[in-house]
Amino acid sequence: MELIPALQFLKLKEIPQAWVDTVWDVEFTESKPLDDPIEDDLTATGDKSFRNLYQCLLAHADDQQQPAGRDKVSQSIWALLVENGVSVKSLVATLSFFVLAGKAKVANIRQRVSGLHAASLYLLLLGLPGSIANKVLHEVLLETCLDMTSHCWPQDSGKKRKKDNLKSSQAEGKRSKPHRKDNPEMEVDEEEEGEEELHFSGQDLMKIRDAVVLLVQSILRLLQTFPLKNTPQSASNCTRIFSKLLYFEPTIGELTFAAGQDLTKLRSVPEMAFYGLQLLFSPKHGDQKESLRRVFHRLLYVILMMNKGNRGRPTLLVPCQDILTTRNQAINFVCHIVEDLKELAIPFLQILLQHICFQMVEKSEFRTHGAQAVGMLTSRMASTDYACFVKWLFNFSRHSKMVCRLFSVDVVMVLLEQSERRMEECTDMELAHFLPHKFLIQNLLFARRMDHSSTVQGHALACLAHCLELPSFNATRAVHNLFSATGTQTMLEGETTEGNLSSQQTQKIYRTLPFRTVEISTTDSSSCDAKENLALLLQRVQDSKTNVRKSSLQALKGLLKHDVIPMSWENLAVLSERCRDPAVSVRKKALQCVGELLTAKPECRVVQKAWLQGVVPAVVDSENSVQEKALEALDQVLLSQVKLYSTTRHLDANQRLTWELLELLCNECQSLSRYFSRAFTIWSKQNKFTQMFITNLISHTESDHAAGAWLLLSKVVTSSSRLPYDKILDAWDSMVSSKHVSVTTCCHILCVMGDIAVHLTEDTKARVVDDLMSWLKTFTLSLEVISAAVETLYQLGNSKDVKQTQSFLNQHCGELVSFCETYLAGIMLSENGAQDLNEELMVKHLHTLGVASLHCPARVGKRMVLLVESVLTTHSDKLTDCQEELPASLPLSQFKANSLSTRVRAHGVITLGKLCLQHEELVQKYLPVFARELEVGTEVAVRNNVVVIMCDLCVRYTNIVDHYIPNISACLRDTEAVIREQTLIMLTNLLQEEFVKWKGSLFFRFMVALVDPVPAIASLCEYCLLYLLLKKNPEMFSQHFIECIFHFNSYSKHKSYNKFPQSEREKDRFSLKGAQHREKRFRIYRFLLEHFTDTQRFNITIKINQTVLACFADEELPLDADGAEILSETFNILSLKEMKLQAISVLSGNTAGEEPEEENMVNMAKAVLQAAQKKVVSQVQKKAFIENSVPLIISLKSLLEQKHSPILRDLMAYLQVTMQDYPNEVKEFFSGDEQLAAEVEFALKTAEKDREMEKQMDNCSLAGDAKTPTAQVQGSVPGSPVSSRPLIPFCFATPQLPHPNPLSSRLAHIDRSRQEEHTKSIALERTGTI
C-alpha cells in the first residue's frame, strides 16, 4: 500500500495552518480543538487506518536497513511527502491530537486505542533517517508518546472491568463513582483525586493491549536506530516506563535475555520491557555506567517488591505469584547483565545489594525473599567482590535500625547455604578472611546474640541452631569453635559498638535513598570465651522476652544434638525446666526440643531423664494445647510401643527406649508418679487401653524389664474390666517368696492387688491377707512397701457393709498397732532400751503404727500415745533452760529424757501427727507442743515434719489450727532454706483451698519471702503469688500496699495500720527497717505495683494522700525520726515509674531506644483509640492531683521548711518526677504557692538540661554531632541518611555512615550494661528490651 493514500484518513490538507501553529506554539502541552466537522471525522477514525499507515511506514523503515540505496529510500520518504504537499509539521500536530485525546483520564476506548497508534506512528517516524532535519523531534511530544502506556491502560483493570460488557466497546464508556482507597499506604496524586474512572470489557482491554504491544515495539525500534545520548531525560523515562511494564501481564515460559532478538518473536510485554532495558545499555544512549545506575535503581524496587512512583515513598506490593515471578525475572536479568558487562557492572551490583539490605522492611516474607535475592546476586560475583560485600555486610549488621540488623542475619543464612569460597581465590589478601563461613557465623551471626532488640536476638539464636544442620563442614566447625571447651575463639565484633549507629533512629524505612555505595564504619575487635558463650546462651533461655527464650531453646537443642556442648544434666535441665515456662509458646517449644533430642539420642540416659522431667508434668498444664502435646508425646513414646513380648525376638530401638523410660520412672523419676497417673486418668476416658494392650503388657511382667510393666499395669488396672487374675496372683506369690524384688515393683504389685481385690474370691482374699500380715509383722519391709501393704490390706477388707469393714480393720490393723506398742514399750520403758536401739527397726515400727492407726482409731489407747510422745522428749538440760517460757498446756510431766536420733524423732513427729488426725483432743493437747518446737527446736528434720503435720491438721481442724498460723508462717524466716520452702508450699496450698485466710501478718510474711536470700525460694514465692493466689483475690496486692510501708518500717503510731498482734521475736524476725534493707523494701513495692491495674494505681495514689500525707500535714503523726523515714519512703514510692498509669506511660516512649517499624505498629484505629484514652486518663489524673495532692504538698512543704527537715529534698524530687508530664502547667497547679511553682520550674529546667547532656553523650557513640540536625558528617554524600540536605531521587549511591567515637562507644556500652543488670534484678520484667 502506498504511503500517500494511507495518510488520507488524517485529513492533513484540511487541517488549518493556524491550528497547527498553535499546537506547536503550546509545545504539545495541551489539546487544542479543531473545527467540528474535521474533529468528528478524525474522531471516527478506526484503528484499521492507523495500522495500515503503520505497516506502510514500517515497510519503508525495513527497506532503509538494506545495505544498498539507504539514502535514496530515506530521501524518497520525506521528498514524497513534500511532492504531495504533506506538511511534516501538520502530520506531527495531527498525530499529537490523537495522542493528547487518548491521554485524558476520561478518554473512551476508541480515543485510547487511537492515541496509542498515533504515538506508535510518531515514534516510527522519529526513527527514520532525516527525522531530525525535518524537525520531527520534539522532546515534550516524545516524552508524552513514550509514557502513553501508563495513561491509556486502565488502572486496576482486573478488579474494575465489567465482564463481557459489549456496550462499553462503543464510543462512550459508562462512568462510575471513583473507588475509595482506604489503605493509608496507597498515596494518590492530588490531581488524580476525585477523577472518574471507566469500566472496560475484556474485548476493550484486548484492543488496548494490542495497541500497547505495538507502541512498545515502536519504542524498541526507536532505541535500535535513534540515539538518546543527547536526551538523557528520555533515557531515564524509558527506564521508568520499562520497569513499570514488567508488571503489565504474566509471562509465558522462561525469559531469555540474548542480544539482538527479533521483535516479532517477543511474546509478552514484560519480555519486551526487559529487552528495552537491555538496549539502553548501548553506548549510543549515553554513558554505560549511568545507564547501569538508572536501570539497577529501578530494578531495586522490583526486587524489593515495592511500588515506587515519581514522588512519595515506596509502598509494599502484595507478594502474589505474579509479583514473585517478576521479581525472579528481574534478578535473572541483573545476573545476565553482570555476566555480559562483567567488570563494568560489578560496582553497581555492589550498590544494588547494599540498597536491597538498606531498604528492607521488617516483614518476614519480604526479608526472606530479599535475602534470597542477595544470595542469587552474590553468586555471580568473583571472590574478591564477594569479600567486599561481606565486609560491608559485617558493618551493616551493627546498624542502629533493628530491621537492618535483623535482615543481616537472614542474608548470612542464605550465604551459608552457598558453597564456601577458598581464600586463595581472593586477589586482595586483606579481604580474604571475609570469605570463610566461619567469619559469617562467628562475626555476623553470633555477634547478634547481644543485640538490643529481642527480635534480633531471637532470630540470631534460631539461625545459629540451623547452622548445625547445614551440609558445610566448616560452618558446623565454626559453631563448635564458639562453644568448644578447649579454648577461646577470636571474634572481630566488638560489643562496645552495639547500637552505635544511632544517627538513623529517625529514618523511616520507606524513605527514598540515593543509589550510591553504603559505607558503614568498622570498629575494634574483641574476643569471646567459649564458656562465656555457653553461659550467655543459658542466660538467654531465661530472658524476659518470649521469642528470645524460644530461640535460645532451639539453639541449645541444636548444640546438644550435635555434641557441640556436653550432654550434661545441667544443660539438659534447662530444657526440661522451660517446659514449665510462664509463656505457652515457650512451653510448647521446650516440649518440641526435648522430643527432638530424645529422637536424636534415644540411648542417652540423661536425655531420657530430661525428657521425662519436661513432658510428664506437662500433662497437668493449665493450657489444653500444652497438655494435649504432652499426652501425644507420652502416647507415642510409651503406650504405642508396648508390643507382645517374646524371648525369641529382640526389642527394636523404639521398644528399648520405652522400657528404659519406664525403668527411670520406677527409680530416679519416682516423683513424677502423680503426673503420670493423671495421664492415665485422661486416657481411660478415651478408651486407650484395649484388651490387646493389656495382653501385651501382661506378657512383659516376667521379663527383665518387669518393673516398667508393673508400673503401667498399676495405672491401667482400674480402667480394664477383664484381666488375667491368675498371672497377677502368680506374680504375687513369687514376690512374697522372693527376696530380690525391688521396692518400686513391690509397691506396684501391691497396688494392682488392691485394685483387683473386688474380683477375687473370699478364699483368695484370706490367703492374700495372711500373706500380707505375716509380711508386715516381720518389719523388714521398706517404708514405701509398708504404706502400700496397709493400703492393700484396707482394699482387701473393704466392703459395702461399713461395720464389717471397720471390724476387719480393727482386727488386722489393730494387731499391727499392738505389735508396735509392745515394741515401743520395750524400748521406751526400759532403762537401757535406747542404748542398743536398732534405729531402722524403730523407724519401721513408728511408720507402721502411724499408717495402721489411721484405719483403726479405736485401737489407739492412751498408753500408745504416751509412748509416741516420749520419742519427742528433748534433752533434760534444754528442758530446764526453756521451762519458764513454755505454755502452760505443755505436758512436761509426761516427757522422759532420751537420746534418740534425729531421724527417729522426725518419724515420731509424723506418727504423733497421724494419731492426732483421728483424735481431736490430741490436737488441742499437742498443737502447743508443735508450735513450741518450731520456735526452739534445733533439728531441721523435726521442724520440717512439724510444719507438714500442722498444715495437715489445719485441713481437718481448721478452727483449732487457725490460732497457730502465725507460728507456721514464722518459718518463712527460718534459718534453714528447706523449711522456708516447705512452709511456703504448704501455706500456698492452704490459701488456695481457703483453709487459711489473709489475716494478720500472713501477707507481709509472704512479701518477705519475695526477698529471700535463696533465689529459688524468692522465685517460687513470686510464682505462688502471681499464678496461684492473685487469681483468687485480684485486689490482694492493692489492699495491703499501704500497710506494707508501715509494717516493713516497724512503724506502729498510725491509728489504723500495723496494729495486728505480734511478739517482739516475730517483729525482729520479719523487720525490714533501716537503710540496709531499703533495697529489699523497694523490690517488694515494685513487685506489687507492677501487677496493679491502672485503676488500682489511681486509687492507691489517692489513698496514700488521704492516709499518709494528710496525717503528717495535719500533724496527726509526729515528724520524728521514724515519721521522717515513713514520709521520705512515701515520696520515693510515689516517684517510682511503676506508679505511673500504664495508659499514659505505654504510649510515651519506645522500647530499647529504637524507632518502631511501621509494619509492626498497631493499626490506625487502635492507635487513635489509645491516644484518646491517654488524653482522657491524663485529664482525670491531672484533676485528681490538683484537688487531692497539691494542697497537701503545699502544707507539707511549709511544715518541712519550718522544721528544716531533709525530707524536703524527697518532696521536691517527687514533684519533679510528677510534673514532667505537665511542664507547662506548673504555675496553674501551684497557683497558691508561687515560690514552690518557681522552684519546681527551676528543677524541671535543670533536669531537662541534664537529659540533654546525657543525650549528647549518647549521640557521641558515632561521631560527635551525628544526631544534630544541622551537623555535616565527614565523608557523607548528598542525600545520605545522616545528612540534613534533601534527597536526590535518582542518585545511585549508598549513604555513608559516620565513623564511631571509641570513647563515647565505651560510655554507651557501660550504660547499656547497667541497664541490663537493672532489668535482670527485676523478676518477670514486662517492659521492652533493654
Side-chain angles (χ1 to χ4, degrees):
M1 184 178 181
E2 295 182 0
L3 177 62
I4 299 305
L7 287 170
Q8 294 300 321
F9 76 96
L10 293 177
K11 311 291 184 181
L12 295 178
K13 294 183 179 180
E14 301 177 17
I15 300 296
Q17 186 61 38
W19 179 84
V20 173
D21 294 338
T22 302
V23 170
W24 278 87
D25 289 342
V26 299
E27 296 187 344
F28 307 101
T29 56
E30 56 180 295
S31 179
K32 295 295 181 180
L34 280 166
D35 296 337
D36 290 343
I38 300 176
E39 185 170 341
D40 291 342
D41 291 341
L42 292 178
T43 304
T45 303
D47 58 340
K48 184 177 180 181
S49 300
F50 281 102
R51 288 187 176 276
N52 290 338
L53 178 58
Y54 187 87
Q55 292 299 327
C56 186
L57 286 175
L58 185 60
H60 284 278
D62 292 339
D63 289 344
Q64 73 179 3
Q65 295 179 4
Q66 301 298 327
R70 178 181 302 172
D71 293 338
K72 180 180 179 181
V73 172
S74 60
Q75 181 64 31
S76 64
I77 293 175
W78 305 111
L80 184 62
L81 293 176
V82 173
E83 290 174 3
N84 289 274
V86 177
S87 170
V88 175
K89 192 174 182 180
S90 298
L91 175 60
V92 172
T94 305
L95 290 177
S96 73
F97 170 79
F98 291 101
V99 170
L100 295 176
K103 178 185 176 183
K105 292 180 176 61
V106 295
N108 56 40
I109 178 64
R110 179 172 295 178
Q111 290 172 325
R112 293 180 186 233
V113 173
S114 299
L116 289 168
H117 284 307
S120 301
L121 289 171
Y122 176 77
L123 295 177
L124 196 58
L125 277 173
L126 188 60
L128 295 175
S131 61
I132 302 296
N134 286 276
K135 299 182 179 180
V136 176
L137 174 64
H138 191 285
E139 290 189 3
V140 175
L141 184 59
L142 172 61
E143 302 304 329
T144 303
C145 292
L146 290 174
D147 202 22
M148 278 297 289
T149 55
S150 61
H151 296 294
C152 295
W153 182 257
Q155 300 297 319
D156 298 329
S157 59
K159 297 180 181 178
K160 299 176 182 176
R161 69 169 182 261
K162 293 184 179 179
K163 296 181 179 180
D164 298 326
N165 187 354
L166 298 179
K167 294 182 180 180
S168 66
S169 63
Q170 298 176 1
E172 295 294 335
K174 288 190 176 182
R175 297 177 181 178
S176 65
K177 294 181 180 180
H179 177 68
R180 182 176 180 179
K181 298 182 179 180
D182 295 326
N183 187 347
E185 289 187 347
M186 299 299 294
E187 295 186 354
V188 184
D189 292 343
E190 292 179 2
E191 65 269 20
E192 293 179 358
E193 295 179 357
E195 293 290 345
E196 296 182 343
E197 296 177 354
L198 300 175
H199 291 293
F200 297 96
S201 68
Q203 294 180 1
D204 296 341
L205 294 175
M206 285 303 298
K207 289 181 179 180
I208 298 177
R209 191 262 177 192
D210 293 340
V212 167
V213 170
L214 192 64
L215 176 60
V216 176
Q217 290 177 345
S218 300
I219 297 175
L220 296 180
R221 295 180 191 278
L222 178 68
L223 293 177
Q224 288 177 335
T225 59
F226 188 83
L228 299 180
K229 188 173 185 178
N230 298 325
T231 55
Q233 186 63 36
S234 298
S236 179
N237 286 342
C238 285
T239 305
R240 176 180 56 82
I241 292 165
F242 286 138
S243 65
K244 284 186 176 181
L245 290 175
L246 298 179
Y247 299 107
F248 186 82
E249 63 185 1
T251 57
I252 303 172
E254 293 291 333
L255 299 186
T256 58
F257 307 110
Q261 299 184 67
D262 186 354
L263 296 181
T264 60
K265 293 182 179 180
L266 298 179
R267 294 169 292 180
S268 63
V269 173
E271 193 171 2
M272 299 177 191
F274 277 119
Y275 183 57
L277 291 174
Q278 194 170 357
L279 290 175
L280 289 173
F281 293 127
S282 174
K284 67 182 177 183
H285 297 308
D287 182 28
Q288 283 186 296
K289 293 183 178 180
E290 288 302 316
S291 299
L292 281 166
R293 187 186 299 276
R294 283 194 300 265
V295 173
F296 279 18
H297 191 192
R298 283 293 172 181
L299 292 180
L300 165 68
Y301 298 104
V302 178
I303 295 173
L304 289 173
M305 295 184 291
M306 294 180 179
N307 180 26
K308 179 66 175 72
N310 293 331
R311 58 183 177 180
R313 61 187 182 185
T315 56
L316 297 178
L317 300 173
V318 179
C320 59
Q321 185 58 46
D322 291 343
I323 297 296
L324 291 173
T325 300
T326 303
R327 162 193 166 276
N328 294 335
Q329 291 169 351
I331 295 172
N332 292 332
F333 177 75
V334 172
C335 293
H336 171 75
I337 296 302
V338 172
E339 290 289 335
D340 189 25
L341 300 180
K342 300 187 186 310
E343 295 300 326
L344 188 64
I346 289 298
F348 300 98
L349 177 61
Q350 292 274 14
I351 296 173
L352 177 63
L353 289 169
Q354 294 166 2
H355 275 265
I356 291 175
C357 297
F358 207 79
Q359 301 195 46
M360 183 50 59
V361 296
E362 190 181 344
K363 287 187 176 180
S364 174
E365 188 174 9
F366 284 82
R367 287 191 290 106
T368 301
H369 291 303
Q372 292 172 352
V374 172
M376 294 173 65
L377 294 174
T378 53
S379 65
R380 303 305 177 99
M381 304 174 85
S383 294
T384 303
D385 299 322
Y386 174 84
C388 288
F389 172 73
V390 174
K391 178 182 179 181
W392 180 90
L393 183 67
F394 169 62
N395 297 320
F396 174 77
S397 67
R398 294 170 295 167
H399 194 275
S400 63
K401 274 191 178 182
M402 184 271 288
V403 65
C404 295
R405 305 193 301 273
L406 189 65
F407 184 63
S408 68
V409 175
D410 294 307
V411 174
V412 167
M413 293 309 298
V414 172
L415 296 181
L416 288 173
E417 293 176 358
Q418 299 179 1
S419 300
E420 187 172 25
R421 300 178 184 241
R422 294 181 300 173
M423 299 178 67
E424 297 80 15
E425 297 174 354
C426 184
T427 57
D428 188 348
M429 294 311 297
E430 293 184 358
L431 297 174
H433 69 279
F434 291 102
L435 291 179
H437 285 172
K438 175 182 176 181
F439 179 85
L440 294 174
I441 292 175
Q442 297 185 354
N443 299 83
L444 276 82
L445 180 59
F446 191 64
R448 292 301 99 216
R449 75 202 183 281
M450 293 290 290
D451 198 275
H452 280 315
S453 169
S454 61
T455 304
V456 180
Q457 282 185 28
H459 191 46
L461 290 171
C463 291
L464 183 68
H466 182 66
C467 289
L468 294 168
E469 308 290 342
L470 295 174
S472 171
F473 172 75
N474 288 338
T476 306
R477 185 170 60 182
V479 179
H480 275 265
N481 291 340
L482 288 172
F483 296 94
S484 173
T486 58
T488 59
Q489 177 63 42
T490 300
M491 305 290 287
L492 294 179
E493 200 275 331
E495 292 303 330
T496 58
T497 64
E498 185 61 44
N500 285 347
L501 303 178
S502 56
S503 63
Q504 298 306 308
Q505 289 183 357
T506 57
Q507 173 71 34
K508 296 290 185 184
I509 191 62
Y510 288 120
R511 191 176 177 185
T512 304
L513 294 174
F515 212 40
R516 298 176 183 167
T517 304
V518 183
E519 295 184 4
I520 307 176
S521 304
T522 60
T523 56
D524 296 334
S525 62
S526 64
S527 62
C528 294
D529 184 77
K531 293 182 179 179
E532 293 178 357
N533 291 340
L534 179 58
L536 180 62
L537 178 60
L538 296 177
Q539 288 179 10
R540 288 289 176 262
V541 174
Q542 301 177 0
D543 195 89
S544 61
K545 294 297 181 180
T546 300
N547 62 321
V548 175
R549 297 201 299 275
K550 288 170 59 179
S551 301
S552 301
L553 288 174
Q554 187 175 345
L556 184 61
K557 180 262 300 179
L559 297 177
L560 290 166
K561 180 179 177 181
H562 295 276
D563 299 319
V564 178
I565 60 178
M567 195 71 70
S568 63
W569 173 247
E570 289 75 14
N571 294 333
L572 288 165
V574 175
L575 287 178
S576 60
E577 287 171 3
R578 286 300 106 189
C579 293
R580 292 173 289 282
D581 192 273
V584 174
S585 59
V586 178
R587 297 203 295 272
K588 289 182 177 179
K589 172 60 73 172
L591 289 173
Q592 177 187 341
C593 289
V594 293
E596 292 179 6
L597 265 184
L598 186 67
T599 303
K601 308 282 186 180
E603 297 179 355
C604 182
R605 192 171 182 83
V606 69
V607 171
Q608 296 171 359
K609 183 179 178 181
W611 184 84
L612 289 173
Q613 293 285 356
V615 175
V616 176
V619 300
V620 296
D621 196 276
S622 58
E623 177 65 31
N624 288 335
S625 58
V626 178
Q627 189 179 113
E628 292 170 0
K629 193 176 184 69
L631 288 170
E632 181 184 356
L634 288 171
D635 185 10
Q636 182 180 356
V637 176
L638 297 181
L639 296 189
S640 63
Q641 299 302 325
V642 178
K643 311 295 184 183
L644 189 65
Y645 179 72
S646 173
T647 56
T648 61
R649 187 172 56 207
H650 292 287
L651 299 176
D652 61 23
N654 292 332
Q655 290 176 319
R656 285 198 305 273
L657 174 62
T658 297
W659 297 111
E660 288 172 2
L661 290 171
L662 290 171
E663 181 189 355
L664 277 174
L665 284 171
C666 293
N667 299 305
E668 299 178 36
C669 301
Q670 291 185 47
S671 59
L672 302 175
S673 176
R674 61 183 182 275
Y675 305 116
F676 201 45
S677 299
R678 176 63 182 275
F680 283 88
T681 302
I682 299 172
W683 284 329
S684 64
K685 298 176 182 178
Q686 302 171 355
N687 297 322
K688 284 271 187 185
F689 312 122
T690 62
Q691 190 61 40
M692 179 180 293
F693 175 81
I694 299 296
T695 303
N696 294 342
L697 187 57
I698 291 291
S699 68
H700 290 270
T701 57
E702 298 178 358
S703 65
D704 54 355
H705 49 265
W710 282 109
L711 169 62
L712 287 182
L713 194 58
S714 68
K715 306 297 183 183
V716 305
V717 65
T718 55
S719 305
S720 181
S721 57
R722 297 178 58 189
L723 290 170
Y725 303 116
D726 294 339
K727 290 188 176 182
I728 295 175
L729 290 173
D730 291 342
W732 165 257
D733 294 334
S734 175
M735 182 189 73
V736 172
S737 60
S738 175
K739 297 182 180 180
H740 304 290
V741 181
S742 67
V743 171
T744 307
T745 304
C746 285
C747 292
H748 293 151
I749 294 176
L750 285 167
C751 180
V752 173
M753 292 299 298
D755 289 332
I756 68 171
V758 294
H759 304 288
L760 300 179
T761 63
E762 293 300 325
D763 293 340
T764 305
K765 285 184 181 181
R767 180 171 65 85
V768 175
V769 168
D770 291 340
D771 291 339
L772 273 176
M773 290 300 296
S774 60
W775 210 19
L776 285 168
K777 290 175 186 178
T778 62
F779 291 97
T780 58
L781 306 179
S782 66
L783 302 184
E784 297 86 354
V785 176
I786 292 174
S787 299
V790 174
E791 180 63 26
T792 303
L793 188 65
Y794 165 76
Q795 290 178 298
L796 288 167
N798 191 21
S799 65
K800 295 180 180 179
D801 189 346
V802 178
K803 292 183 178 180
Q804 183 179 349
T805 301
Q806 191 59 56
S807 175
F808 173 87
L809 294 174
N810 287 339
Q811 176 187 349
H812 295 90
C813 291
E815 186 178 351
L816 293 174
V817 170
S818 298
F819 268 86
C820 295
E821 181 179 353
T822 303
Y823 175 80
L824 289 176
I827 298 295
M828 305 307 299
L829 301 179
S830 173
E831 293 184 1
N832 299 323
Q835 295 179 1
D836 301 325
L837 175 67
N838 184 334
E839 181 181 296
E840 188 68 29
L841 191 58
M842 181 70 168
V843 168
K844 290 179 179 179
H845 276 84
L846 285 171
H847 185 75
T848 304
L849 172 61
V851 296
S853 65
L854 292 174
H855 296 291
C856 57
R859 296 296 300 271
V860 178
K862 184 176 181 180
R863 182 171 182 266
M864 174 59 69
V865 175
L866 294 176
L867 286 171
V868 176
E869 177 188 299
S870 64
V871 174
L872 302 177
T873 303
T874 58
H875 295 289
S876 58
D877 54 346
K878 294 185 178 179
L879 282 173
T880 304
D881 294 339
C882 62
Q883 186 169 352
E884 295 180 359
E885 299 179 3
L886 291 176
S889 59
L890 184 64
L892 287 178
S893 59
Q894 298 175 9
F895 285 177
K896 179 179 175 67
N898 61 67
S899 56
L900 297 177
S901 66
T902 298
R903 181 166 179 250
V904 173
R905 287 168 49 77
H907 280 277
V909 169
I910 293 295
T911 302
L912 184 58
K914 290 177 180 177
L915 295 177
C916 291
L917 282 172
Q918 298 292 346
H919 301 85
E920 184 174 344
E921 66 277 7
L922 295 180
V923 176
Q924 294 176 341
K925 178 180 179 180
Y926 288 109
L927 269 178
V929 181
F930 293 148
R932 187 59 181 173
E933 183 66 25
L934 290 179
E935 291 186 13
V936 301
T938 57
E939 296 163 312
V940 177
V942 174
R943 283 188 287 125
N944 184 77
N945 288 355
V946 168
V947 171
V948 175
I949 285 298
M950 293 183 74
C951 291
D952 285 346
L953 290 173
C954 185
V955 175
R956 186 159 188 176
Y957 305 105
T958 306
N959 293 332
I960 300 175
V961 182
D962 186 66
H963 178 68
Y964 295 93
I965 292 301
N967 300 82
I968 300 174
S969 61
C971 294
L972 290 171
R973 290 287 277 180
D974 196 277
T975 55
E976 297 295 332
V978 65
I979 295 179
R980 299 200 300 272
E981 183 178 7
Q982 183 75 272
T983 305
L984 181 61
I985 294 172
M986 299 298 292
L987 284 176
T988 300
N989 291 335
L990 293 175
L991 286 165
Q992 271 190 291
E993 301 298 329
E994 298 187 357
F995 291 110
V996 173
K997 304 293 185 181
W998 291 110
K999 295 190 301 184
S1001 60
L1002 182 59
F1003 178 84
F1004 309 103
R1005 295 184 178 184
F1006 260 79
M1007 291 299 103
V1008 172
L1010 276 175
V1011 292
D1012 193 279
V1014 179
I1017 296 178
S1019 178
L1020 175 63
C1021 180
E1022 184 176 307
Y1023 172 80
C1024 293
L1025 287 168
L1026 292 181
Y1027 299 101
L1028 301 179
L1029 301 175
L1030 186 61
K1031 292 180 179 179
K1032 294 183 69 69
N1033 187 2
E1035 301 295 326
M1036 177 176 66
F1037 287 175
S1038 59
Q1039 288 172 350
H1040 295 86
F1041 183 81
I1042 294 179
E1043 194 155 13
C1044 284
I1045 303 174
F1046 294 100
H1047 179 75
F1048 293 134
N1049 285 280
S1050 300
Y1051 189 85
S1052 57
K1053 297 178 183 180
H1054 197 283
K1055 62 182 179 180
S1056 303
Y1057 296 119
N1058 201 24
K1059 294 298 183 182
F1060 42 80
Q1062 290 186 96
S1063 66
E1064 290 300 323
R1065 186 167 182 265
E1066 290 174 335
K1067 288 181 180 179
D1068 293 339
R1069 177 178 285 193
F1070 287 93
S1071 175
L1072 294 178
K1073 184 179 180 180
Q1076 69 274 20
H1077 296 301
R1078 185 181 186 277
E1079 182 182 350
K1080 292 182 179 179
R1081 294 197 303 274
F1082 275 83
R1083 201 185 311 168
I1084 294 173
Y1085 300 147
R1086 287 191 179 94
F1087 171 81
L1088 295 175
L1089 288 171
E1090 282 174 358
H1091 300 94
F1092 273 24
T1093 63
D1094 270 354
T1095 302
Q1096 292 171 340
R1097 289 188 181 90
F1098 182 79
N1099 291 335
I1100 205 67
T1101 304
I1102 296 176
K1103 198 171 182 181
I1104 288 175
N1105 289 332
Q1106 296 171 348
T1107 60
V1108 182
L1109 299 184
C1111 291
F1112 284 103
D1114 298 339
E1115 298 191 40
E1116 293 180 12
L1117 295 178
L1119 201 57
D1120 53 11
D1122 293 338
E1125 289 293 330
I1126 292 294
L1127 187 58
S1128 173
E1129 189 140 315
T1130 302
F1131 283 131
N1132 289 331
I1133 290 172
L1134 291 171
S1135 303
L1136 292 174
K1137 68 175 183 179
E1138 289 82 4
M1139 184 65 84
K1140 191 172 183 180
L1141 301 185
Q1142 292 299 306
I1144 297 176
S1145 59
V1146 164
L1147 298 177
S1148 298
N1150 301 324
T1151 60
E1154 291 187 6
E1155 180 180 349
E1157 302 298 331
E1158 292 182 10
E1159 55 271 20
N1160 259 0
M1161 297 183 69
V1162 293
N1163 57 62
M1164 187 62 66
K1166 187 175 180 181
V1168 171
L1169 181 63
Q1170 286 182 340
Q1173 180 187 13
K1174 175 184 176 181
K1175 185 176 181 180
V1176 172
V1177 173
S1178 179
Q1179 291 298 322
V1180 173
Q1181 188 184 37
K1182 174 183 173 182
K1183 182 180 178 182
F1185 182 74
I1186 294 175
E1187 294 178 355
N1188 301 319
S1189 301
V1190 171
L1192 290 173
I1193 290 171
I1194 294 175
S1195 299
L1196 280 172
K1197 179 176 180 290
S1198 176
L1199 179 63
L1200 294 172
E1201 286 177 342
Q1202 292 176 9
K1203 295 182 178 295
H1204 303 286
S1205 174
I1207 309 304
L1208 195 59
R1209 273 197 314 271
D1210 299 308
L1211 184 148
M1212 294 304 297
Y1214 160 62
L1215 287 180
Q1216 180 181 327
V1217 171
T1218 305
M1219 296 307 298
Q1220 284 177 356
D1221 296 329
Y1222 313 101
N1224 300 322
E1225 303 173 60
V1226 176
K1227 292 183 179 179
E1228 176 188 348
F1229 277 39
F1230 300 99
S1231 56
D1233 191 334
E1234 295 182 359
Q1235 180 183 352
L1236 178 58
E1239 292 176 2
V1240 172
E1241 285 186 333
F1242 177 78
L1244 289 175
K1245 291 178 181 178
T1246 304
E1248 182 65 26
K1249 290 180 180 179
D1250 292 341
R1251 283 195 296 271
E1252 287 294 332
M1253 182 66 68
E1254 292 177 3
K1255 188 176 180 180
Q1256 291 180 9
M1257 293 296 291
D1258 290 340
N1259 292 349
C1260 291
S1261 59
L1262 272 179
D1265 297 324
K1267 284 187 179 179
T1268 306
T1270 59
Q1272 295 297 324
V1273 181
Q1274 182 179 2
S1276 65
V1277 294
S1280 85
V1282 296
S1283 174
S1284 61
R1285 285 178 280 181
L1287 295 172
I1288 300 177
F1290 296 100
C1291 193
F1292 191 53
T1294 314
Q1296 299 176 3
L1297 298 182
H1299 296 276
N1301 184 317
L1303 174 60
S1304 58
S1305 177
R1306 288 194 295 272
L1307 291 174
H1309 176 64
I1310 294 172
D1311 183 65
R1312 183 173 69 256
S1313 301
R1314 291 173 179 168
Q1315 292 179 8
E1316 291 176 349
E1317 291 173 1
H1318 173 68
T1319 300
K1320 292 174 183 176
S1321 68
I1322 301 176
L1324 293 179
E1325 182 68 46
R1326 298 185 302 168
T1327 58
T1329 54
I1330 302 169

